[in-house]
Amino acid sequence: YTIFVILSSFLGDTTILVASIKYNALSLHKIVVALIQHLAVCDLITSCMYTIELIVEVSGWEELQEFYNRVGGHVFSFSLYTTFFLTAALTTIKLVIIKYPFRAQLWTK
């Protein structure tokens, strides 16, 4: 189950990033697309840190476990809190775009 979640996260996030950056496939407001891209990057960081945590636990290396205990928790919590704030910003921006559609057009010019 864990491998499926990690693989689907990597596949989904890279698909979102490639589709929005290379092919401009998302025809949404530019600010919304930027927030979605940032959410995908934070999700990739979270997935990487979760994968590294599993590898550290399985490997049993003392030095690697000590390093992960010092650094890994901070990176993991930073990406998690950033995801929370970006989700709140995305919801707020969508509300503002719906409430003031004509003013929202001026943001990207």
Side-chain angles (χ1 to χ4, degrees):
Y1 174 75
T2 305
I3 294 172
F4 174 72
V5 171
I6 290 171
L7 287 176
S8 64
S9 175
F10 284 130
L11 182 66
D13 292 333
T14 53
T15 303
I16 288 171
L17 289 173
V18 168
S20 64
I21 294 172
K22 187 174 182 181
Y23 298 112
N24 291 328
L26 300 177
S27 60
L28 299 170
H29 199 273
K30 290 182 181 181
I31 295 174
V32 173
V33 172
L35 286 173
I36 290 172
Q37 290 172 348
H38 284 81
L39 277 168
V41 169
C42 284
D43 191 39
L44 278 173
I45 292 171
T46 304
S47 298
C48 287
M49 292 309 295
Y50 188 67
T51 305
I52 291 171
E53 180 182 8
L54 289 176
I55 291 170
V56 166
E57 287 179 7
V58 171
S59 70
W61 290 351
E62 304 266 338
E63 296 85 15
L64 192 59
Q65 287 177 351
E66 183 179 330
F67 176 74
Y68 184 78
N69 289 337
R70 289 185 181 174
V71 177
H74 298 295
V75 175
F76 187 76
S77 63
F78 176 75
S79 66
L80 200 62
Y81 289 128
T82 305
T83 302
F84 294 155
F85 289 128
L86 286 172
T87 304
L90 183 65
T91 307
T92 306
I93 290 295
K94 284 184 176 182
L95 176 69
V96 169
I97 288 173
I98 290 172
K99 188 161 175 119
Y100 304 108
F102 298 114
R103 290 185 189 170
Q105 291 175 357
L106 298 175
W107 293 346
T108 57
K109 291 184 179 181

